[in-house]
Amino acid sequence: MDNQVGLNVFYEGVSQLGIKLTPEIIEQFSLYYAELLTWKSKMNLIGYKHEKDIIGNLFIDSLAGGLILTSESQCVVLDIGSGAGFPGIPLKIVFPNIFMNLLEPNSKKVSFLHNVIGVLGLQGINVESTKIEKMVEKPGFNGFFDLIFMKGLRLDIALPYVR
């Protein structure tokens, strides 16, 4: 994060959610933020332009979904329509024991996801370059995920495919 205002928004947001930050978590979010800005200048990755909006509406909002998780949670999670990795990557950073699956059909965004996963050194995370309509056709899809998240995706598109 670039400035003290952004850091304050981040610290206040995670504090309100009751999330404990370690230096490693802070470093990963800073790297993630830097990658977002770098790639955002090259492609339509996220719509937000201001740091406090990116942090509040993407990072903090994504972590709000983690209120049902604990640091010991070991579950398999699917993020449908992951885009630039929201909410999946922030959740994976804070809850490293979960196995995260990011589902994103846009090949440019998939390239970004692979890049940021490598930059952050995340383990136990998978990127599927397909739509939910095709994902459900894969053997073992039904009943495989403990939790499913969607952010910025119309419910009427995805809900018919998940239980």
Side-chain angles (χ1 to χ4, degrees):
M1 284 154 243
D2 290 341
N3 63 47
Q4 195 58 44
V5 173
L7 284 171
N8 288 343
V9 170
F10 184 69
Y11 291 143
E12 183 178 327
V14 294
S15 174
Q16 288 178 5
L17 294 173
I19 295 171
K20 305 289 186 247
L21 293 175
T22 64
E24 293 81 18
I25 289 173
I26 295 167
E27 177 65 19
Q28 283 189 307
F29 274 103
S30 293
L31 288 170
Y32 188 16
Y33 182 78
E35 288 298 306
L36 276 173
L37 293 185
T38 299
W39 283 65
K40 182 181 184 302
S41 68
K42 300 173 190 170
M43 61 186 270
N44 185 22
L45 191 58
I46 58 174
Y48 297 105
K49 295 179 179 15
H50 303 291
E51 184 177 36
K52 68 178 185 172
D53 295 329
I54 294 169
I55 293 167
N57 294 316
L58 296 177
F59 288 7
I60 303 302
D61 191 53
S62 292
L63 292 175
L67 293 175
I68 61 172
L69 299 168
T70 68
S71 58
E72 291 82 34
S73 292
Q74 294 184 352
C75 55
V76 180
V77 180
L78 176 64
D79 174 7
I80 300 174
S82 192
F86 298 101
I89 290 178
L91 290 170
K92 181 63 180 170
I93 290 170
V94 173
F95 304 101
N97 293 330
I98 64 174
F99 187 87
M100 180 61 67
N101 293 276
L102 307 175
L103 184 62
E104 175 53 50
N106 181 300
S107 62
K108 290 181 180 180
K109 291 179 181 178
V110 167
S111 295
F112 169 77
L113 293 172
H114 284 294
N115 175 76
V116 79
I117 289 167
V119 167
L120 299 177
L122 297 176
Q123 301 293 315
I125 188 166
N126 179 48
V127 179
E128 292 283 341
S129 180
T130 189
K131 293 183 176 186
I132 187 64
E133 297 89 342
K134 296 291 183 193
M135 181 76 171
V136 297
E137 296 172 2
K138 290 187 173 196
F141 173 81
N142 289 316
F144 183 74
F145 303 100
D146 299 306
L147 298 169
I148 298 175
F149 289 94
M150 296 177 281
K151 180 174 174 43
L153 183 65
R154 289 182 20 211
L155 291 176
D156 62 323
I157 292 174
L159 279 182
Y161 298 99
V162 298
R163 293 185 227 150

